[in-house]
């Protein structure tokens, strides 16, 4: 990193801009996507329709006047780490040489499940981070990911995703941290801090409301009001900007109430910069500027799209030069946009580049680079273990030593790729087009690049001496009657059945979960629901393992299964984590970041809703989840003492409420309890959700150990958007509920807020301070 202070860097950047030609300035505002794997399917929406955009730079060499960014030098095709780093360094030297000012390009990569490079450690997907309820662990993971990226010359990571789940049928549910904005914002802030501590710019996406698309369809229009937009969908971004100091933001593809995010100055400038104080860069989602013309129809051509996006607040066009090349220069010539707007964007870009050292000599990369070192694999394993959620258990788990014969059935039991999300390199590059589809192998093999075990392999290793018969019962997508019958017969002949069901993630219809892989219902893909019921019908005690990118309705399993375990695409170490929880080598510590629907046709619903969104006698449709947000069992028992209100029964509108609760492990095994703090506002001038999460404490407890969790909640967290559209803390009673889940309240305390206070934009406190200490005696 350069030694310039932010102020010095900004001053240097402004000086450079004054000396640049229009061509040189525009060149800093676009990227080049080179070396894309021709054998892979589309890795971005409508990618095949956008190919060849580099020619629109207006020159034979798009980098003739310099270059703003390089797109995915490692994520576009398999390349060995040291070779790729050397190639990138050589390319950077050429780019610096082409620039009068010796400015290198900023290289960006995807990093949602780890550095998305062939051979790099593949971490659990973001929904699994949500299940850990562990911001410290998420931060440590991000630091490791960032260190790997910096070791090969990458500067910016396109993560984390801060979309809040509204309807889990949405294919990108796996990329989110769940259905709660506070959990999402807390974990995202930890990820941002960790990544940026390693010298990588974090990119918040998709700003904002993308996950609330109509009918849970990718790219679908969004129709949400300003109050819900601010409270639910903007809050995580505000936390990551104001607390985490994120360096970059990526707008959503969607339009909310008819306003496209890539051309929304109210969102990208008034809220993001003026209210929150954001000083970084806004980078377009891939082809997002072009889509203002080609999909949204708010621009007549690419020149107008460029002018709209730049005026709206977009600084950099990704992934290729298109609208910000010649079309942007044409917009300046036609008077559609002032050159001053370009200058502002270029100053932001150059300020970051100066801070990253991109105006200095390109360093020589190491000759040997390991992107999957032991410490990264250990972190991946820890995240996976802490994300496994035990939904139900009649005492069958953990499995004992004398199991007899075990039938392991289900299509995800012996498939490595089911452990991975759609932004893991192997699944991201998988191809399944109509021209190449093999009906006997709907998911063609992709080189994993790292060692990944299947659940069948790990159970065989961890249950030595146990006879395990594996019967797949079909594929994730389909099965014959004979496939299902064979699985049921194997279960009937066994002493225990383990049925493994779930997803195989991919992109744009090449998977059952992932970007562009939306679902019509909450039913398990293919015929897996029938398979599950057939195994349960066998009468053999059955443990259900769900490895998926979204929660699914599980039929009669909640009533009939011996145990149910949920794993959200747990990464390259995921099979070991699941097996460890099943066998008792590890404790189940995860909690649900998103509710599990009761039925395949359950309506879209989350716990974060007002009273009238709940089950009632005036509607025949019940939206109640089978397992709610925050739910998760353990192999031990915990007792909670009555909570103690440390700050007194009254508090001013600018004050802090302090509450504490002691939790003891009364069982004979170690375990982790997650104390969840919810706010209930019984009377307000705007309709409020019944409760919403405002804090949580993860307590790891040895047998007999007790810890006290303390929460210091700023009264600002009781604020909401009032009927006049302004944030307000209202006088009156609020209730703080301490619970094991959104449906399991252990105790509550009431506090009287003694006055009303309006909050200026960008000033409200956003986080509850949480501490814990061991209780002696």
């Amino acid at each position: 990193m350069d030694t310039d202070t932010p102020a010095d860097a900004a001053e240097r950047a402004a000086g450079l801009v004054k000396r640049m030609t229009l061509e040189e300035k525009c060149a800093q505002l676009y990227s080049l996507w080179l070396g894309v794997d021709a054998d892979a399917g589309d890795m971005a929406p409508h990618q095949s329709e956008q190919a060849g955009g580099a020619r629109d730079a207006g020159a034979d060499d798009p980098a003739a006047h310099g270059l703003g960014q390089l797109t995915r030098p490692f994520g576009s095709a398999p390349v060995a780490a040291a070779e790729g780093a050397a190639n990138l360094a050589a390319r950077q030297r050429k780019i610096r040489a082409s620039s009068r000012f010796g400015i290198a390009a900023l290289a960006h990569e995807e990093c949602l499940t780890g550095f998305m490079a062939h051979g790099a450690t593949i971490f659990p997907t973001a929904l699994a981070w949500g299940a850990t309820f562990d911001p410290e662990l998420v931060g440590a993971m991000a630091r490791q990911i960032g260190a790997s990226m910096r070791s090969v010359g990458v500067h910016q990571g396109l993560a984390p995703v801060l979309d809040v789940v509204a309807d889990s049928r949405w294919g990108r549910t796996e990329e989110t941290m769940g259905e709660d904005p506070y959990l999402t914002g807390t974990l995202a802030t930890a990820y941002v801090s960790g990544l940026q501590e390693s010298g990588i710019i974090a990119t918040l996406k998709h700003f904002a409301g993308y996950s609330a698309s109509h009918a849970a369809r990718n790219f679908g229009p969004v129709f949400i009001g300003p109050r819900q937009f601010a409270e639910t969908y903007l809050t995580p971004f505000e936390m990551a900007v104001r607390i985490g100091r994120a360096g970059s933001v990526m707008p959503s593809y969607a339009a909310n109430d008819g306003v496209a995010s890539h051309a929304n100055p109210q969102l990208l400038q008034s809220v993001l910069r003026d209210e929150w104080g954001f000083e970084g860069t806004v980078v377009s989602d891939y082809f997002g500027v072009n889509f203002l013309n080609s999909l949204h129809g708010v621009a007549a051509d690419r020149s107008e799209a460029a002018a709209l996006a730049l005026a709206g607040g977009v600084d950099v066009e990704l992934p290729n030069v298109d609208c910000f090349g010649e079309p942007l220069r044409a917009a300046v010539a036609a008077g559609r946009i002032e050159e001053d707007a370009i200058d502002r964007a270029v100053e932001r870009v150059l300020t970051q580049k100066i801070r990253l050292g991109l105006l200095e000599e390109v360093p020589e990369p190491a000759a040997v680079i390991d992107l999957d070192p032991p410490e990264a694999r250990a972190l991946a394993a820890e995240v996976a273990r802490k994300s496994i959620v035990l939904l139900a258990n009649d005492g069958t788990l953990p499995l004992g030593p004398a199991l007899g014969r075990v039938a392991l059935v289900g299509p995800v039991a012996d498939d490595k790729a089911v452990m991975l999300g759609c932004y893991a390199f192997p699944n991201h590059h998988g191809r399944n087009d109509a021209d190449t589809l093999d009906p006997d192998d709907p998911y063609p093999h992709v080189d994993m690049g790292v060692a990944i075990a299947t659940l069948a392999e790990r159970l065989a290793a961890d249950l030595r001496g146990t006879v395990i018969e594996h019967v797949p019962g079909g594929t994730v997508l389909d099965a014959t009657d004979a496939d299902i019958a064979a699985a049921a017969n194997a279960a009937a002949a066994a002493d225990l059945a383990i049925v493994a069901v779930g997803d195989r993630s991919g992109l744009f219809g090449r998977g059952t979960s992932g970007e562009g892989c939306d679902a019509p219902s909450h039913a398990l893909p293919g015929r897996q629901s029938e398979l599950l019921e057939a195994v349960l019908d066998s009468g053999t005690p059955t443990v259900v393992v769900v490895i998926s990118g979204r929660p699914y309705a599980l039929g009669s399993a909640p009533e009939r299964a011996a145990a149910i375990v949920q794993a959200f695409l747990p990464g390259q170490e995921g099979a070991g984590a699941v097996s460890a929880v099943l066998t008792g080598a590890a404790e189940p510590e995860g909690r649900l970041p998103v509710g599990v629907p009761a039925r395949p046709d359950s309506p879209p619903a989350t716990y974060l809703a007002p009273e009238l969104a709940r089950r009632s006698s005036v509607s025949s449709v019940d939206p109640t989840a089978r397992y709610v947000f925050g739910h998760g069992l353990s192999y031990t028992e915990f007792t909670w003492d009555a909570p103690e209100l440390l700050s007194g029964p009254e508090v001013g509108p600018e004050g802090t409420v302090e509450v504490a609760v002691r939790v003891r492990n009364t069982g004979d095994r170690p375990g982790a309890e997650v104390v969840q703090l919810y706010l209930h506002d019984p009377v307000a001038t705007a309709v409020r959700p019944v409760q919403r999460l405002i804090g949580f404490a993860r307590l790891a407890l040895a047998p007999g150990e007790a810890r006290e969790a303390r929460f210091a909640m700023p009264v600002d967290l009781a604020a909401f958007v009032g009927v006049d559209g302004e944030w307000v803390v209202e006088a009156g009673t609020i209730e703080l509920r301490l619970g094991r889940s959104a449906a399991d309240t252990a105790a509550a305390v009431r506090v009287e807020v003694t006055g009303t206070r309006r909050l200026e934009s960008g000033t409200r406190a956003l986080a509850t301070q949480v501490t814990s200490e061991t209780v002696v005696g």
Side-chain angles (χ1 to χ4, degrees):
M1 297 285 285
D2 194 88
T3 56
D4 286 63
T5 66
D8 290 341
E11 185 177 351
R12 282 183 65 189
L16 282 171
V17 170
K18 291 176 182 178
R19 298 160 59 193
M20 285 179 158
T21 66
L22 179 60
E23 289 80 2
E24 288 170 330
K25 287 186 283 192
C26 288
Q28 292 299 317
L29 304 184
Y30 58 67
S31 187
L32 282 182
W33 196 357
L34 306 171
V36 179
D37 184 356
D39 292 328
D42 277 6
M43 290 179 278
H46 299 281
Q47 177 186 335
S48 56
E49 302 166 25
Q50 305 292 328
R55 66 176 180 269
D56 294 320
D60 292 338
D61 179 7
H65 299 285
L67 183 64
Q69 293 213 13
L70 282 167
T71 293
R72 297 193 194 179
F74 290 85
S76 300
V79 61
E83 177 188 355
N87 291 342
L88 177 57
R91 181 168 291 150
Q92 290 281 39
R93 293 186 184 100
K94 291 181 180 179
I95 292 168
R96 286 194 75 228
S98 73
S99 165
R100 288 194 299 139
F101 307 100
I103 306 170
L106 188 153
H108 75 258
E109 290 285 356
E110 298 286 355
C111 56
L112 185 62
T113 60
F115 178 19
M116 199 185 77
H118 191 253
T121 304
I122 303 173
F123 289 85
T125 197
L127 197 58
W129 313 351
T132 69
F133 275 72
D134 193 336
E136 289 76 19
L137 180 59
V138 169
M141 175 190 69
R143 281 189 292 275
Q144 177 63 49
I145 293 169
S148 292
M149 297 171 78
R150 280 299 276 175
S151 73
V152 296
V154 174
H155 312 100
Q156 182 168 357
L158 303 188
V161 171
L162 287 80
D163 299 311
V164 177
V165 173
D167 183 342
S168 59
R169 295 177 304 159
W170 191 52
R172 305 192 78 167
T173 293
E174 65 173 62
E175 300 178 45
T176 77
M177 287 166 261
E179 68 183 41
D180 181 80
Y182 188 85
L183 176 66
T184 297
T186 302
L187 297 179
T189 298
Y191 183 95
V192 166
S193 297
L195 199 70
Q196 296 192 161
E197 286 169 15
S198 294
I200 298 294
I201 296 171
T203 309
L204 312 180
K205 59 187 192 181
H206 306 88
F207 193 54
Y210 186 39
S211 53
S213 61
H214 187 62
R217 295 180 65 249
N218 191 39
F219 266 57
V222 175
F223 303 103
I224 50 179
R227 178 175 294 104
Q228 186 183 19
F229 188 69
E231 294 180 359
T232 300
Y233 297 99
L234 290 185
T235 291
F237 287 93
E238 185 176 2
M239 293 173 74
V241 167
R242 291 183 49 217
I243 302 173
R245 310 308 299 175
S248 191
V249 169
M250 176 180 284
S252 159
Y253 283 128
N256 183 29
D257 196 25
V259 181
S261 297
H262 278 74
N264 188 343
Q266 172 63 26
L267 180 65
L268 301 182
Q269 297 199 78
S270 297
V271 172
L272 181 62
R273 295 193 185 276
D274 299 342
E275 295 182 12
W276 297 351
F278 177 69
E279 296 179 346
T281 56
V282 175
V283 300
S284 81
D285 208 338
Y286 283 16
F287 312 115
V289 178
N290 181 294
F291 292 161
L292 296 175
N293 163 237
S294 59
L295 295 181
H296 287 298
V298 296
D301 53 32
R302 289 181 300 137
S303 179
E304 187 175 349
L308 279 176
L310 193 68
V314 175
D315 297 314
V316 178
E317 180 182 28
L318 302 181
N320 242 344
V321 54
D322 184 4
C323 301
F324 277 17
E326 187 279 330
L328 179 56
R329 297 197 299 274
V332 173
R336 285 176 166 173
I337 189 79
E338 295 293 330
E339 194 167 343
D340 285 351
I342 295 176
D343 292 349
R344 285 192 295 272
V346 177
E347 285 183 19
R348 292 166 186 153
V349 168
L350 292 181
T351 298
Q352 285 191 337
K353 287 191 172 188
I354 291 167
R355 295 285 294 156
L356 289 165
L358 293 179
L359 274 67
E360 314 302 325
E361 290 295 327
V362 178
E364 193 67 35
V368 178
I369 300 173
D370 185 1
L371 296 180
D372 187 30
E375 59 270 23
R377 294 195 299 273
L379 261 177
E382 184 178 1
V383 177
R385 285 194 302 272
K386 289 185 175 180
S387 73
I388 306 299
V389 185
L390 180 63
L391 297 180
N393 187 23
D394 67 359
T396 297
L397 295 182
L399 299 176
L403 291 176
R405 185 179 184 86
V406 173
L408 175 61
V409 304
V412 307
D414 200 26
D415 185 348
K416 297 178 180 180
V418 302
M419 299 293 167
L420 312 180
C422 69
Y423 274 80
F425 190 95
N427 287 5
H428 203 75
H429 283 252
R431 186 183 183 105
N432 187 0
D433 294 338
D435 294 339
T436 61
L437 179 61
D438 179 352
D440 296 322
D441 184 13
Y443 296 108
H445 172 74
V446 176
D447 178 19
M448 295 289 130
V450 293
I452 303 176
T454 69
L455 180 59
E457 291 168 343
R458 283 308 304 255
L459 284 174
D462 294 343
L463 295 173
R464 294 187 184 277
T466 299
V467 177
I468 301 177
E469 180 185 7
H470 173 238
V471 180
T475 70
V476 169
L477 280 177
D478 200 8
T480 65
D481 290 345
D483 292 331
I484 294 174
N489 291 337
D495 299 296
L496 176 74
I498 300 174
V499 55
V501 294
D503 281 317
R504 205 173 194 276
S505 185
L507 297 175
F508 310 117
R510 302 194 300 270
T512 58
S513 173
E515 185 175 357
C517 298
D518 310 314
S521 77
H522 302 293
L524 285 161
R527 297 184 68 185
Q528 292 181 83
S529 295
E530 296 175 64
L531 171 67
L532 176 57
E533 295 299 328
V535 172
L536 291 168
D537 286 344
S538 72
T540 299
T542 298
V543 174
V544 180
V545 176
V546 186
I547 303 173
S548 63
R550 61 164 67 86
Y552 285 108
L554 299 174
S556 65
E559 289 72 41
R560 296 204 289 165
I564 304 174
V565 172
Q566 172 72 60
F568 292 113
L569 304 179
Q572 73 180 62
E573 301 295 329
V578 174
S579 180
V581 169
L582 293 177
T583 60
E587 307 302 314
E589 298 184 18
R591 300 294 186 270
L592 283 176
V594 60
V596 175
R599 306 176 310 280
D601 63 352
S602 288
T606 74
Y607 94 92
L608 191 65
E611 184 63 40
L612 289 176
R614 295 187 166 196
R615 177 176 55 201
S616 73
S617 61
V618 297
S619 174
S620 58
V621 178
D622 183 0
T624 307
R626 183 59 184 82
Y627 300 107
V628 301
F629 175 86
H631 172 74
L633 304 179
S634 176
Y635 291 153
T636 190
E637 299 292 332
F638 302 100
T639 58
W640 294 37
D641 290 349
E644 183 180 0
L645 186 59
L646 304 175
S647 54
E650 293 185 347
V651 64
E654 297 180 346
T656 299
V657 179
E658 296 185 38
V659 63
V661 65
R662 293 181 177 183
V663 179
R664 183 178 299 275
N665 181 350
T666 54
D668 58 4
R669 294 178 64 99
E673 181 72 301
V674 178
V675 179
Q676 299 161 42
L677 181 66
Y678 294 89
L679 173 73
H680 170 61
D681 189 347
V683 179
T685 55
V687 176
R688 308 303 302 136
V690 173
Q691 61 183 2
R692 55 186 175 89
L693 187 73
I694 55 167
F696 55 90
R698 195 175 187 282
L699 306 178
L701 299 170
E705 183 183 8
R707 291 186 69 84
E708 181 178 81
R710 292 193 173 200
F711 301 90
M713 183 211 84
V715 177
D716 282 13
L717 286 179
F720 59 90
V721 177
V723 294
D724 61 358
E726 302 296 325
W727 285 93
V728 62
V729 171
E730 289 187 341
T733 301
I734 57 173
E735 183 176 278
L736 301 184
R737 298 175 174 178
L738 294 141
R740 302 174 186 89
S741 75
D744 186 0
T745 299
V749 296
R750 289 201 159 203
V751 176
E752 190 74 16
V753 179
T754 58
T756 294
R757 180 170 72 95
R758 298 191 178 277
L759 283 68
E760 293 184 14
S761 298
T763 64
R764 64 186 176 116
L766 296 167
T768 294
Q769 299 302 309
V770 180
T771 58
S772 69
E773 59 183 28
T774 300
V775 176
V776 179

